[in-house]
Amino acid sequence: MDEKRHDVEAAEAARALETIAATRHEVAARVGSPPYYYTKVAAAGAILCLAQPLDSRTRFFVTLIALIPLGWAIRSYSRHTGTWTMATLREKGAWMAWLIIGVMLAALTSAMITQNLVVSVVGALVILLVVPVVGPRWDAAWVRSLTPEESAERSAERSAEGSAEDTVEETP
């Protein structure tokens, strides 16, 4: 009788693990950013940078204009995912998110402190170059981290392919 109970518990555990895996896959498929999300965020950051050397009244209105792509990005993200999610910044590959945050803060802070047109333009360009390139890579790494079993399977496949390629048959 203990063997039957053990089989039932093992089957229940397997079903529970399959349910957890299915949920992780569903969440991973849903949390990825929509197309052009990082481009919109970069545009908002660049506009904010470019607004800094302007007189205070113009800066105010340009800042309001910067809220348009930022609001658009937030709205498209929440529509795409059905929620507002945030990856933890301690995950594997989180250095990319920290890079984005650091670049945007450094560019905006430099532009605000100096109020210099050249510094503002350089900061805006850096934001426009870094965020749309690094953002989707961070997003992909975050989605992969939600499905670790697939990542482990891919790593095993790659190492198996690599070891097969490294094996050289010697002929006598």
Side-chain angles (χ1 to χ4, degrees):
M1 183 164 326
D2 286 334
E3 290 178 18
K4 288 182 183 179
R5 183 175 178 178
H6 181 68
D7 290 341
V8 170
E9 288 175 0
E12 287 177 13
R15 281 193 299 275
L17 289 173
E18 288 174 9
T19 303
I20 291 169
T23 302
R24 289 179 75 99
H25 287 284
E26 179 185 321
V27 169
R30 200 178 67 199
V31 299
S33 299
Y36 307 109
Y37 170 77
Y38 289 102
T39 304
K40 296 171 197 170
V41 170
I47 292 169
L48 285 173
C49 248
L50 294 172
Q52 297 313 307
L54 304 174
D55 64 273
S56 61
R57 185 175 180 171
T58 309
R59 183 182 323 129
F60 174 76
F61 288 112
V62 173
T63 300
L64 289 179
I65 291 170
L67 294 177
I68 294 170
L70 185 61
W72 185 18
I74 291 169
R75 183 176 165 105
S76 66
Y77 187 92
S78 62
R79 277 186 166 178
H80 180 75
T81 63
T83 186
W84 182 253
T85 58
M86 178 73 177
T88 63
L89 298 178
R90 292 171 277 152
E91 295 180 26
K92 197 176 204 177
W95 66 268
M96 292 179 271
W98 285 110
L99 177 65
I100 291 169
I101 293 167
V103 163
M104 290 186 75
L105 285 176
L108 289 169
T109 303
S110 300
M112 289 173 80
I113 290 172
T114 63
Q115 300 288 307
N116 184 302
L117 181 62
V118 173
V119 172
S120 296
V121 169
V122 169
L125 288 174
V126 170
I127 288 172
L128 287 172
L129 291 173
V130 170
V131 175
V133 171
V134 177
R137 291 179 182 185
W138 157 238
D139 211 44
W142 182 38
V143 169
R144 276 192 311 273
S145 75
L146 293 173
T147 52
E149 62 279 352
E150 282 186 11
S151 299
E153 288 172 8
R154 282 190 214 125
S155 297
E157 288 173 5
R158 285 187 199 135
S159 63
E161 289 172 1
S163 63
E165 291 172 1
D166 293 339
T167 307
V168 179
E169 293 184 27
E170 293 182 20
T171 54

